Amino acid sequence: MFPADLARYEAHRTRKGGDLGHIDASRSHLNRRLIGPADWAERTMTEIEAMRAENYADELEALQRRGRKKEIQKRMVEGPKDPWRASRHGPLREIILTAHKDWFDEIEFDGNRMVFDARETMFEERAVAWLTENFGDDIVHARADRDETTYHIHAVLVPRAAVKVNGATRRMLQPSIHPLIEDYEKLQDSVGAWFSAIGLARGEQRAKAIREAAAKGDPIPATRHHCRPRDWRRQKEAEAIRQRAEVEAREVAAEAEAASLEARRADLVQHEERLAAEDARLGAVATTQREEAGRLGEREEAVVARETVAAERMAEAEAVLAVAEGLGAGAFDIDDAGGTPVLTERPENPSLLARLKRAIAGSDRGRTRAVAALGSAWTRLRMAAGEAAEARLAREHEDLRKADEALVEVAQTLPEPARARIAQARPTIARSLTGIGLTLRRLRGRDGGAQQDGSGGGEK
């Protein structure tokens, strides 16, 4: 650092300026000073100004003793000079001591009590001792910061030196007077050895690895680029901003995708609803078709049943008609002498009889019904025919009887020749009366009726 950097250093130390993006302000009150007074920066600046003034006065005095008037005039125009040699790094050094965050996060046990900051205390004690041991009073300030991510210690080194210039002693700021500042590898080795007592180890020896690789002719390890913490944080912030932008872009894309998925999901739901409606409709159609098929089946069964019944009835009708036709044609006769009508065949017409038998064979029920129905009718017809014939014969018998009686009466009044011719004709009339009487008796005997007096008339 340059002395002019101390003001900015103090502004950051007191958290009143500088890069505060990584600071946890709620813990800033935990920061504490370890070495030096509170006004160390002001005192350091005053000391450096005094060194500048003293060196200037001593230089003018030495020139005056030597009688160098022109050089005195030149130096008076130039004024006091900084008490250090020009360099790009400045005469002051800031030392930062720290370790990995995980080491500080370990909790120590003191008997039955947990000590959360025990490792910070151990580290702090070792750090103050190491600074004092190696740099003495040139460490004008040291503090512990506890309001950042990892515990660490800042220290400021003011390397005071007395240098002979042209035989005169000058007070200067010269970092190289401290061997550990002159060779940073030695500084790292010293810190590693010092803090090993509390379990810490030196970091990677990159410079040594580079030298050894170069000596062996091996590939040189890549040199790590060190940047200022502020620049590093800016890079991290920029990276975080970029990552946030990427995350936001992904979120927007995810939201768009989610909206698209939701739209597709809605379309799928509508499609499923349409499919469900179509399934329901098809199910209703299928149910209707099944019902219709059932009704058609029932109608077909009914039609088949009706056709069967019709066929049976047709066969029955044909059987009845065949029986009736056979009776009418004389191919059949019905005998009901036993009380039950029985269809009997008459073989006079074989072809007609065969045809009628085929028709009758198609329906036993028709045959039975025809025989039962026509048998009674046939009996009644025969009875009616017999009664009619009997009545007609009875009338004819009576007429002949009356004619015979009239003839006898008339014959009694006729002359003998006429009576003789009538007597010759009477045997014929008597035979007719006898035949008719016999027929009447046979008819009446078949029907179980009593014999009438007409038979006696025949005898007469």
Side-chain angles (χ1 to χ4, degrees), residues 51-112:
M51 292 170 65
R52 181 182 290 111
E54 290 175 4
N55 290 341
Y56 182 59
D58 289 344
E59 186 178 358
L60 290 177
E61 183 179 351
L63 291 174
Q64 188 175 8
R65 285 197 304 268
R66 294 166 57 190
R68 303 289 182 89
K69 294 182 179 180
K70 289 183 179 181
E71 291 184 14
I72 292 174
Q73 291 176 357
K74 178 182 177 183
R75 286 294 295 116
M76 291 181 67
V77 171
E78 292 175 349
K81 294 182 178 180
D82 293 331
W84 64 83
R85 291 179 180 178
S87 68
R88 65 188 183 93
H89 296 297
L92 308 181
R93 294 292 183 269
E94 179 185 10
I95 300 172
I96 300 176
L97 298 172
T98 189
H100 197 280
K101 180 180 182 298
D102 292 345
W103 186 82
F104 289 109
D105 289 340
E106 290 290 334
I107 300 173
E108 298 288 340
F109 290 88
D110 182 8
N112 294 325

Short mmCIF file of all heavy atoms in Angstrom, two decimals, residues 51-112:
data_model
loop_
_atom_site.label_atom_id
_atom_site.label_comp_id
_atom_site.label_asym_id
_atom_site.label_seq_id
_atom_site.Cartn_x
_atom_site.Cartn_y
_atom_site.Cartn_z
N MET A 51 8.97 12.10 8.91
CA MET A 51 10.13 11.51 8.25
C MET A 51 10.46 12.30 6.98
O MET A 51 11.64 12.59 6.70
CB MET A 51 9.83 10.04 7.88
CG MET A 51 9.71 9.12 9.10
SD MET A 51 9.07 7.47 8.65
CE MET A 51 10.39 6.89 7.64
N ARG A 52 9.43 12.67 6.23
CA ARG A 52 9.65 13.44 5.00
C ARG A 52 10.31 14.79 5.34
O ARG A 52 11.29 15.19 4.68
CB ARG A 52 8.32 13.64 4.29
CG ARG A 52 8.48 14.41 2.97
CD ARG A 52 7.14 14.63 2.31
NE ARG A 52 6.54 13.37 1.78
CZ ARG A 52 5.46 12.79 2.27
NH1 ARG A 52 4.84 13.32 3.31
NH2 ARG A 52 5.02 11.66 1.75
N ALA A 53 9.80 15.46 6.36
CA ALA A 53 10.33 16.79 6.73
C ALA A 53 11.74 16.67 7.28
O ALA A 53 12.64 17.49 6.94
CB ALA A 53 9.39 17.45 7.75
N GLU A 54 11.97 15.71 8.17
CA GLU A 54 13.30 15.54 8.76
C GLU A 54 14.33 15.21 7.68
O GLU A 54 15.45 15.75 7.67
CB GLU A 54 13.26 14.42 9.81
CG GLU A 54 12.48 14.80 11.07
CD GLU A 54 12.36 13.64 12.02
OE1 GLU A 54 12.95 12.56 11.73
OE2 GLU A 54 11.65 13.76 13.04
N ASN A 55 13.98 14.33 6.78
CA ASN A 55 14.92 13.97 5.71
C ASN A 55 15.23 15.18 4.84
O ASN A 55 16.38 15.39 4.39
CB ASN A 55 14.33 12.84 4.85
CG ASN A 55 14.27 11.51 5.58
OD1 ASN A 55 14.97 11.33 6.58
ND2 ASN A 55 13.46 10.58 5.07
N TYR A 56 14.22 16.01 4.57
CA TYR A 56 14.41 17.20 3.74
C TYR A 56 15.35 18.19 4.45
O TYR A 56 16.30 18.73 3.84
CB TYR A 56 13.05 17.83 3.46
CG TYR A 56 13.12 19.05 2.58
CD1 TYR A 56 13.66 18.98 1.29
CD2 TYR A 56 12.62 20.27 3.03
CE1 TYR A 56 13.68 20.11 0.49
CE2 TYR A 56 12.65 21.40 2.22
CZ TYR A 56 13.18 21.30 0.94
OH TYR A 56 13.23 22.43 0.15
N ALA A 57 15.10 18.38 5.74
CA ALA A 57 15.95 19.32 6.50
C ALA A 57 17.38 18.80 6.59
O ALA A 57 18.35 19.57 6.42
CB ALA A 57 15.36 19.53 7.89
N ASP A 58 17.55 17.50 6.85
CA ASP A 58 18.88 16.94 6.95
C ASP A 58 19.61 17.04 5.61
O ASP A 58 20.82 17.31 5.53
CB ASP A 58 18.81 15.47 7.38
CG ASP A 58 18.38 15.32 8.82
OD1 ASP A 58 18.43 16.32 9.55
OD2 ASP A 58 17.94 14.20 9.19
N GLU A 59 18.87 16.86 4.51
CA GLU A 59 19.49 16.93 3.19
C GLU A 59 19.96 18.37 2.89
O GLU A 59 21.08 18.56 2.37
CB GLU A 59 18.49 16.46 2.12
CG GLU A 59 19.10 16.37 0.72
CD GLU A 59 18.09 15.85 -0.30
OE1 GLU A 59 16.92 15.51 0.09
OE2 GLU A 59 18.46 15.75 -1.48
N LEU A 60 19.14 19.35 3.20
CA LEU A 60 19.53 20.75 2.96
C LEU A 60 20.73 21.13 3.84
O LEU A 60 21.64 21.84 3.38
CB LEU A 60 18.35 21.68 3.27
CG LEU A 60 17.16 21.61 2.28
CD1 LEU A 60 16.05 22.55 2.77
CD2 LEU A 60 17.61 22.00 0.86
N GLU A 61 20.71 20.65 5.05
CA GLU A 61 21.81 20.96 5.96
C GLU A 61 23.11 20.36 5.43
O GLU A 61 24.19 21.01 5.46
CB GLU A 61 21.50 20.41 7.35
CG GLU A 61 22.59 20.77 8.38
CD GLU A 61 22.24 20.24 9.76
OE1 GLU A 61 21.08 19.74 9.94
OE2 GLU A 61 23.12 20.30 10.63
N ALA A 62 23.05 19.13 4.93
CA ALA A 62 24.25 18.47 4.40
C ALA A 62 24.75 19.20 3.15
O ALA A 62 25.96 19.39 2.96
CB ALA A 62 23.95 17.02 4.07
N LEU A 63 23.89 19.68 2.27
CA LEU A 63 24.28 20.42 1.08
C LEU A 63 24.88 21.76 1.46
O LEU A 63 25.83 22.23 0.82
CB LEU A 63 23.07 20.63 0.16
CG LEU A 63 22.52 19.36 -0.53
CD1 LEU A 63 21.23 19.70 -1.28
CD2 LEU A 63 23.57 18.76 -1.47
N GLN A 64 24.32 22.32 2.51
CA GLN A 64 24.84 23.62 2.93
C GLN A 64 26.25 23.44 3.49
O GLN A 64 27.13 24.28 3.24
CB GLN A 64 23.92 24.22 3.99
CG GLN A 64 24.30 25.65 4.33
CD GLN A 64 23.29 26.27 5.29
OE1 GLN A 64 22.41 25.61 5.81
NE2 GLN A 64 23.45 27.57 5.51
N ARG A 65 26.51 22.39 4.24
CA ARG A 65 27.83 22.17 4.78
C ARG A 65 28.84 21.94 3.66
O ARG A 65 30.01 22.30 3.77
CB ARG A 65 27.85 20.94 5.70
CG ARG A 65 27.21 21.22 7.06
CD ARG A 65 27.63 20.14 8.04
NE ARG A 65 27.31 18.78 7.56
CZ ARG A 65 26.19 18.12 7.82
NH1 ARG A 65 25.25 18.71 8.57
NH2 ARG A 65 26.00 16.91 7.35
N ARG A 66 28.37 21.39 2.58
CA ARG A 66 29.26 21.09 1.46
C ARG A 66 29.32 22.26 0.50
O ARG A 66 30.04 22.21 -0.51
CB ARG A 66 28.77 19.84 0.74
CG ARG A 66 28.89 18.60 1.63
CD ARG A 66 28.09 17.42 1.06
NE ARG A 66 28.50 17.08 -0.29
CZ ARG A 66 27.87 16.24 -1.09
NH1 ARG A 66 26.75 15.66 -0.64
NH2 ARG A 66 28.32 15.96 -2.30
N GLY A 67 28.53 23.29 0.74
CA GLY A 67 28.59 24.48 -0.11
C GLY A 67 27.96 24.27 -1.46
O GLY A 67 28.35 24.90 -2.44
N ARG A 68 27.00 23.48 -1.57
CA ARG A 68 26.34 23.19 -2.83
C ARG A 68 25.11 24.09 -2.98
O ARG A 68 23.98 23.68 -2.79
CB ARG A 68 25.90 21.71 -2.88
CG ARG A 68 27.06 20.73 -2.67
CD ARG A 68 27.97 20.72 -3.90
NE ARG A 68 29.04 19.75 -3.75
CZ ARG A 68 28.97 18.50 -4.12
NH1 ARG A 68 27.90 18.03 -4.66
NH2 ARG A 68 30.02 17.70 -3.96
N LYS A 69 25.39 25.36 -3.33
CA LYS A 69 24.30 26.32 -3.37
C LYS A 69 23.28 25.99 -4.46
O LYS A 69 22.08 26.12 -4.26
CB LYS A 69 24.87 27.72 -3.58
CG LYS A 69 25.72 28.22 -2.42
CD LYS A 69 26.22 29.63 -2.68
CE LYS A 69 27.05 30.13 -1.51
NZ LYS A 69 27.56 31.50 -1.74
N LYS A 70 23.77 25.63 -5.66
CA LYS A 70 22.83 25.33 -6.75
C LYS A 70 21.96 24.12 -6.40
O LYS A 70 20.74 24.11 -6.67
CB LYS A 70 23.60 25.06 -8.04
CG LYS A 70 24.23 26.30 -8.65
CD LYS A 70 24.90 25.96 -9.96
CE LYS A 70 25.51 27.22 -10.59
NZ LYS A 70 26.14 26.92 -11.89
N GLU A 71 22.56 23.12 -5.82
CA GLU A 71 21.77 21.93 -5.46
C GLU A 71 20.76 22.28 -4.38
O GLU A 71 19.64 21.75 -4.37
CB GLU A 71 22.71 20.83 -4.97
CG GLU A 71 23.56 20.25 -6.10
CD GLU A 71 24.42 19.10 -5.62
OE1 GLU A 71 24.14 18.58 -4.51
OE2 GLU A 71 25.32 18.68 -6.34
N ILE A 72 21.19 23.22 -3.46
CA ILE A 72 20.25 23.64 -2.42
C ILE A 72 19.05 24.34 -3.04
O ILE A 72 17.90 24.08 -2.67
CB ILE A 72 20.96 24.57 -1.39
CG1 ILE A 72 22.00 23.78 -0.59
CG2 ILE A 72 19.94 25.21 -0.47
CD1 ILE A 72 22.84 24.65 0.32
N GLN A 73 19.36 25.23 -4.01
CA GLN A 73 18.26 25.94 -4.68
C GLN A 73 17.33 24.94 -5.41
O GLN A 73 16.11 25.06 -5.37
CB GLN A 73 18.83 26.95 -5.66
CG GLN A 73 19.52 28.12 -5.01
CD GLN A 73 20.17 29.07 -6.02
OE1 GLN A 73 20.13 28.81 -7.24
NE2 GLN A 73 20.76 30.14 -5.52
N LYS A 74 17.96 23.97 -6.07
CA LYS A 74 17.16 22.99 -6.80
C LYS A 74 16.29 22.19 -5.84
O LYS A 74 15.09 21.96 -6.10
CB LYS A 74 18.09 22.05 -7.57
CG LYS A 74 17.36 20.95 -8.33
CD LYS A 74 18.35 20.03 -9.04
CE LYS A 74 17.60 18.90 -9.73
NZ LYS A 74 18.57 17.96 -10.36
N ARG A 75 16.88 21.79 -4.71
CA ARG A 75 16.12 20.99 -3.77
C ARG A 75 15.03 21.80 -3.10
O ARG A 75 13.94 21.26 -2.81
CB ARG A 75 17.04 20.40 -2.69
CG ARG A 75 17.90 19.28 -3.18
CD ARG A 75 17.05 18.03 -3.56
NE ARG A 75 16.37 17.45 -2.42
CZ ARG A 75 15.07 17.38 -2.27
NH1 ARG A 75 14.27 17.83 -3.23
NH2 ARG A 75 14.55 16.85 -1.18
N MET A 76 15.27 23.04 -2.91
CA MET A 76 14.25 23.90 -2.31
C MET A 76 13.06 24.04 -3.26
O MET A 76 11.91 24.12 -2.82
CB MET A 76 14.84 25.26 -1.95
CG MET A 76 15.83 25.19 -0.78
SD MET A 76 16.50 26.82 -0.35
CE MET A 76 15.02 27.61 0.28
N VAL A 77 13.38 24.08 -4.55
CA VAL A 77 12.28 24.13 -5.53
C VAL A 77 11.53 22.80 -5.53
O VAL A 77 10.30 22.77 -5.58
CB VAL A 77 12.83 24.45 -6.92
CG1 VAL A 77 11.73 24.29 -7.97
CG2 VAL A 77 13.42 25.84 -6.94
N GLU A 78 12.26 21.70 -5.48
CA GLU A 78 11.60 20.38 -5.51
C GLU A 78 10.81 20.10 -4.24
O GLU A 78 9.77 19.46 -4.27
CB GLU A 78 12.67 19.29 -5.69
CG GLU A 78 13.33 19.33 -7.07
CD GLU A 78 14.45 18.33 -7.18
OE1 GLU A 78 14.86 17.78 -6.14
OE2 GLU A 78 14.92 18.07 -8.30
N GLY A 79 11.30 20.57 -3.10
CA GLY A 79 10.61 20.34 -1.86
C GLY A 79 10.90 18.97 -1.28
O GLY A 79 11.69 18.18 -1.83
N PRO A 80 10.24 18.63 -0.17
CA PRO A 80 10.51 17.34 0.48
C PRO A 80 10.11 16.17 -0.42
O PRO A 80 9.17 16.24 -1.18
CB PRO A 80 9.65 17.39 1.75
CG PRO A 80 9.40 18.85 1.97
CD PRO A 80 9.31 19.47 0.63
N LYS A 81 10.83 15.08 -0.29
CA LYS A 81 10.56 13.87 -1.06
C LYS A 81 9.98 12.79 -0.14
O LYS A 81 10.19 12.79 1.07
CB LYS A 81 11.83 13.35 -1.73
CG LYS A 81 12.37 14.26 -2.81
CD LYS A 81 13.62 13.64 -3.45
CE LYS A 81 14.17 14.52 -4.57
NZ LYS A 81 15.38 13.92 -5.20
N ASP A 82 9.28 11.87 -0.79
CA ASP A 82 8.72 10.75 -0.03
C ASP A 82 9.85 9.92 0.54
O ASP A 82 10.85 9.66 -0.15
CB ASP A 82 7.84 9.86 -0.92
CG ASP A 82 6.58 10.57 -1.37
OD1 ASP A 82 6.11 11.47 -0.63
OD2 ASP A 82 6.05 10.24 -2.46
N PRO A 83 9.67 9.42 1.77
CA PRO A 83 10.75 8.66 2.39
C PRO A 83 10.74 7.18 1.96
O PRO A 83 10.78 6.28 2.80
CB PRO A 83 10.47 8.83 3.88
CG PRO A 83 9.00 8.98 3.97
CD PRO A 83 8.58 9.70 2.73
N TRP A 84 10.62 6.90 0.70
CA TRP A 84 10.70 5.53 0.17
C TRP A 84 11.09 5.57 -1.29
O TRP A 84 10.94 6.60 -1.96
CB TRP A 84 9.39 4.79 0.36
CG TRP A 84 8.22 5.38 -0.42
CD1 TRP A 84 7.91 5.16 -1.72
CD2 TRP A 84 7.25 6.28 0.07
NE1 TRP A 84 6.80 5.85 -2.08
CE2 TRP A 84 6.35 6.57 -0.96
CE3 TRP A 84 7.02 6.89 1.34
CZ2 TRP A 84 5.27 7.42 -0.83
CZ3 TRP A 84 5.94 7.72 1.46
CH2 TRP A 84 5.07 7.98 0.39
N ARG A 85 11.60 4.50 -1.76
CA ARG A 85 11.96 4.41 -3.15
C ARG A 85 10.69 4.14 -3.97
O ARG A 85 9.81 3.40 -3.57
CB ARG A 85 12.95 3.28 -3.38
CG ARG A 85 14.32 3.57 -2.77
CD ARG A 85 15.26 2.41 -3.00
NE ARG A 85 16.59 2.67 -2.43
CZ ARG A 85 17.59 1.82 -2.45
NH1 ARG A 85 17.43 0.62 -3.02
NH2 ARG A 85 18.76 2.13 -1.91
N ALA A 86 10.71 4.76 -5.16
CA ALA A 86 9.53 4.63 -6.00
C ALA A 86 9.32 3.16 -6.41
O ALA A 86 10.28 2.48 -6.79
CB ALA A 86 9.67 5.50 -7.23
N SER A 87 8.10 2.67 -6.33
CA SER A 87 7.74 1.31 -6.76
C SER A 87 6.23 1.29 -7.05
O SER A 87 5.48 2.15 -6.59
CB SER A 87 8.09 0.27 -5.69
OG SER A 87 7.26 0.45 -4.56
N ARG A 88 5.83 0.30 -7.79
CA ARG A 88 4.39 0.26 -8.12
C ARG A 88 3.55 -0.31 -7.00
O ARG A 88 2.33 -0.20 -7.03
CB ARG A 88 4.17 -0.58 -9.39
CG ARG A 88 4.53 -2.04 -9.28
CD ARG A 88 4.46 -2.70 -10.64
NE ARG A 88 4.71 -4.13 -10.60
CZ ARG A 88 3.77 -5.04 -10.48
NH1 ARG A 88 2.51 -4.69 -10.38
NH2 ARG A 88 4.09 -6.33 -10.47
N HIS A 89 4.20 -0.92 -5.99
CA HIS A 89 3.43 -1.50 -4.90
C HIS A 89 3.35 -0.60 -3.68
O HIS A 89 2.49 -0.83 -2.81
CB HIS A 89 4.06 -2.84 -4.47
CG HIS A 89 4.00 -3.88 -5.56
ND1 HIS A 89 2.84 -4.38 -6.07
CD2 HIS A 89 5.01 -4.52 -6.22
CE1 HIS A 89 3.10 -5.28 -7.00
NE2 HIS A 89 4.43 -5.37 -7.13
N GLY A 90 4.21 0.39 -3.57
CA GLY A 90 4.20 1.26 -2.40
C GLY A 90 5.05 0.70 -1.27
O GLY A 90 5.42 -0.48 -1.29
N PRO A 91 5.34 1.51 -0.24
CA PRO A 91 6.26 1.09 0.82
C PRO A 91 5.57 0.33 1.96
O PRO A 91 6.25 -0.29 2.78
CB PRO A 91 6.80 2.42 1.33
CG PRO A 91 5.66 3.37 1.14
CD PRO A 91 4.97 2.94 -0.11
N LEU A 92 4.27 0.39 2.04
CA LEU A 92 3.56 -0.27 3.14
C LEU A 92 3.06 -1.64 2.68
O LEU A 92 2.90 -1.89 1.49
CB LEU A 92 2.39 0.58 3.62
CG LEU A 92 2.69 2.04 3.97
CD1 LEU A 92 1.44 2.74 4.46
CD2 LEU A 92 3.80 2.12 5.02
N ARG A 93 2.80 -2.52 3.65
CA ARG A 93 2.27 -3.84 3.34
C ARG A 93 1.05 -4.13 4.22
O ARG A 93 1.07 -3.86 5.42
CB ARG A 93 3.33 -4.92 3.57
CG ARG A 93 4.52 -4.82 2.61
CD ARG A 93 4.10 -5.15 1.18
NE ARG A 93 5.22 -5.13 0.26
CZ ARG A 93 5.60 -4.05 -0.43
NH1 ARG A 93 4.96 -2.90 -0.25
NH2 ARG A 93 6.62 -4.11 -1.26
N GLU A 94 0.06 -4.72 3.58
CA GLU A 94 -1.11 -5.22 4.33
C GLU A 94 -1.00 -6.74 4.35
O GLU A 94 -0.82 -7.38 3.32
CB GLU A 94 -2.42 -4.82 3.67
CG GLU A 94 -3.63 -5.34 4.42
CD GLU A 94 -4.94 -5.04 3.71
OE1 GLU A 94 -4.92 -4.59 2.55
OE2 GLU A 94 -6.01 -5.27 4.32
N ILE A 95 -1.08 -7.28 5.53
CA ILE A 95 -0.98 -8.74 5.71
C ILE A 95 -2.37 -9.25 6.13
O ILE A 95 -3.00 -8.68 7.04
CB ILE A 95 0.06 -9.09 6.78
CG1 ILE A 95 1.44 -8.56 6.36
CG2 ILE A 95 0.10 -10.61 7.01
CD1 ILE A 95 2.50 -8.70 7.44
N ILE A 96 -2.82 -10.31 5.47
CA ILE A 96 -4.11 -10.91 5.81
C ILE A 96 -3.84 -12.36 6.21
O ILE A 96 -3.25 -13.13 5.45
CB ILE A 96 -5.10 -10.86 4.63
CG1 ILE A 96 -5.34 -9.40 4.23
CG2 ILE A 96 -6.41 -11.56 5.00
CD1 ILE A 96 -6.24 -9.25 3.02
N LEU A 97 -4.25 -12.71 7.40
CA LEU A 97 -4.09 -14.06 7.92
C LEU A 97 -5.48 -14.71 8.05
O LEU A 97 -6.38 -14.14 8.68
CB LEU A 97 -3.40 -14.03 9.29
CG LEU A 97 -1.99 -13.45 9.31
CD1 LEU A 97 -1.49 -13.29 10.74
CD2 LEU A 97 -1.04 -14.34 8.52
N THR A 98 -5.62 -15.91 7.50
CA THR A 98 -6.91 -16.60 7.60
C THR A 98 -6.71 -18.09 7.32
O THR A 98 -5.58 -18.54 7.06
CB THR A 98 -7.93 -16.01 6.61
OG1 THR A 98 -9.23 -16.56 6.86
CG2 THR A 98 -7.54 -16.31 5.16
N ALA A 99 -7.78 -18.85 7.42
CA ALA A 99 -7.77 -20.29 7.12
C ALA A 99 -9.12 -20.63 6.49
O ALA A 99 -10.00 -19.75 6.35
CB ALA A 99 -7.53 -21.11 8.38
N HIS A 100 -9.29 -21.89 6.13
CA HIS A 100 -10.54 -22.29 5.49
C HIS A 100 -11.72 -22.12 6.45
O HIS A 100 -11.62 -22.38 7.65
CB HIS A 100 -10.45 -23.74 5.02
CG HIS A 100 -11.49 -24.10 4.01
ND1 HIS A 100 -12.79 -24.42 4.36
CD2 HIS A 100 -11.43 -24.17 2.66
CE1 HIS A 100 -13.48 -24.69 3.27
NE2 HIS A 100 -12.68 -24.54 2.22
N LYS A 101 -12.84 -21.72 5.89
CA LYS A 101 -14.03 -21.47 6.69
C LYS A 101 -14.45 -22.69 7.50
O LYS A 101 -14.88 -22.56 8.66
CB LYS A 101 -15.18 -21.04 5.77
CG LYS A 101 -16.49 -20.74 6.48
CD LYS A 101 -17.54 -20.32 5.49
CE LYS A 101 -18.85 -19.97 6.18
NZ LYS A 101 -19.43 -21.11 6.90
N ASP A 102 -14.31 -23.90 6.92
CA ASP A 102 -14.76 -25.10 7.62
C ASP A 102 -13.98 -25.32 8.92
O ASP A 102 -14.53 -25.87 9.88
CB ASP A 102 -14.59 -26.33 6.72
CG ASP A 102 -15.55 -26.29 5.53
OD1 ASP A 102 -16.50 -25.48 5.58
OD2 ASP A 102 -15.34 -27.05 4.57
N TRP A 103 -12.69 -24.90 8.94
CA TRP A 103 -11.89 -25.09 10.16
C TRP A 103 -12.43 -24.22 11.29
O TRP A 103 -12.53 -24.66 12.43
CB TRP A 103 -10.43 -24.73 9.86
CG TRP A 103 -9.52 -25.03 11.03
CD1 TRP A 103 -8.98 -26.23 11.36
CD2 TRP A 103 -9.06 -24.08 12.01
NE1 TRP A 103 -8.20 -26.10 12.49
CE2 TRP A 103 -8.24 -24.78 12.91
CE3 TRP A 103 -9.26 -22.72 12.20
CZ2 TRP A 103 -7.63 -24.19 13.99
CZ3 TRP A 103 -8.63 -22.11 13.29
CH2 TRP A 103 -7.83 -22.84 14.18
N PHE A 104 -12.81 -22.99 10.95
CA PHE A 104 -13.36 -22.09 11.98
C PHE A 104 -14.75 -22.54 12.44
O PHE A 104 -15.16 -22.25 13.57
CB PHE A 104 -13.45 -20.66 11.45
CG PHE A 104 -12.13 -19.99 11.29
CD1 PHE A 104 -11.61 -19.74 10.03
CD2 PHE A 104 -11.37 -19.62 12.39
CE1 PHE A 104 -10.38 -19.11 9.87
CE2 PHE A 104 -10.15 -19.00 12.24
CZ PHE A 104 -9.64 -18.75 10.98
N ASP A 105 -15.47 -23.25 11.59
CA ASP A 105 -16.84 -23.65 11.95
C ASP A 105 -16.89 -24.81 12.93
O ASP A 105 -17.95 -25.12 13.48
CB ASP A 105 -17.63 -24.04 10.68
CG ASP A 105 -17.95 -22.83 9.82
OD1 ASP A 105 -17.91 -21.70 10.36
OD2 ASP A 105 -18.25 -23.00 8.62
N GLU A 106 -15.74 -25.49 13.13
CA GLU A 106 -15.72 -26.60 14.09
C GLU A 106 -15.95 -26.06 15.51
O GLU A 106 -15.45 -25.01 15.89
CB GLU A 106 -14.39 -27.33 14.03
CG GLU A 106 -14.18 -28.12 12.75
CD GLU A 106 -15.09 -29.34 12.70
OE1 GLU A 106 -15.48 -29.82 13.78
OE2 GLU A 106 -15.43 -29.77 11.58
N ILE A 107 -16.74 -26.82 16.29
CA ILE A 107 -17.07 -26.43 17.67
C ILE A 107 -16.16 -27.20 18.62
O ILE A 107 -16.04 -28.42 18.53
CB ILE A 107 -18.55 -26.72 17.98
CG1 ILE A 107 -19.45 -25.92 17.02
CG2 ILE A 107 -18.88 -26.38 19.42
CD1 ILE A 107 -20.91 -26.29 17.15
N GLU A 108 -15.52 -26.48 19.53
CA GLU A 108 -14.65 -27.09 20.54
C GLU A 108 -15.43 -27.32 21.83
O GLU A 108 -16.43 -26.64 22.10
CB GLU A 108 -13.44 -26.20 20.82
CG GLU A 108 -12.55 -25.96 19.60
CD GLU A 108 -11.77 -27.19 19.22
OE1 GLU A 108 -11.60 -28.08 20.08
OE2 GLU A 108 -11.34 -27.28 18.04
N PHE A 109 -15.00 -28.34 22.60
CA PHE A 109 -15.64 -28.66 23.88
C PHE A 109 -14.66 -28.38 25.02
O PHE A 109 -13.52 -28.85 25.01
CB PHE A 109 -16.07 -30.13 23.91
CG PHE A 109 -17.22 -30.42 23.00
CD1 PHE A 109 -16.99 -30.76 21.67
CD2 PHE A 109 -18.52 -30.35 23.46
CE1 PHE A 109 -18.03 -31.03 20.82
CE2 PHE A 109 -19.57 -30.62 22.61
CZ PHE A 109 -19.34 -30.96 21.29
N ASP A 110 -15.11 -27.58 25.97
CA ASP A 110 -14.32 -27.27 27.15
C ASP A 110 -15.02 -27.93 28.34
O ASP A 110 -15.89 -27.35 28.98
CB ASP A 110 -14.23 -25.76 27.36
CG ASP A 110 -13.37 -25.40 28.57
OD1 ASP A 110 -12.75 -26.32 29.12
OD2 ASP A 110 -13.35 -24.22 28.94
N GLY A 111 -14.65 -29.16 28.62
CA GLY A 111 -15.38 -29.91 29.64
C GLY A 111 -16.76 -30.28 29.10
O GLY A 111 -16.88 -31.00 28.12
N ASN A 112 -17.79 -29.79 29.77
CA ASN A 112 -19.16 -30.04 29.33
C ASN A 112 -19.74 -28.87 28.56
O ASN A 112 -20.93 -28.86 28.25
CB ASN A 112 -20.05 -30.33 30.55
CG ASN A 112 -19.66 -31.62 31.24
OD1 ASN A 112 -19.25 -32.57 30.59
ND2 ASN A 112 -19.77 -31.63 32.56
#
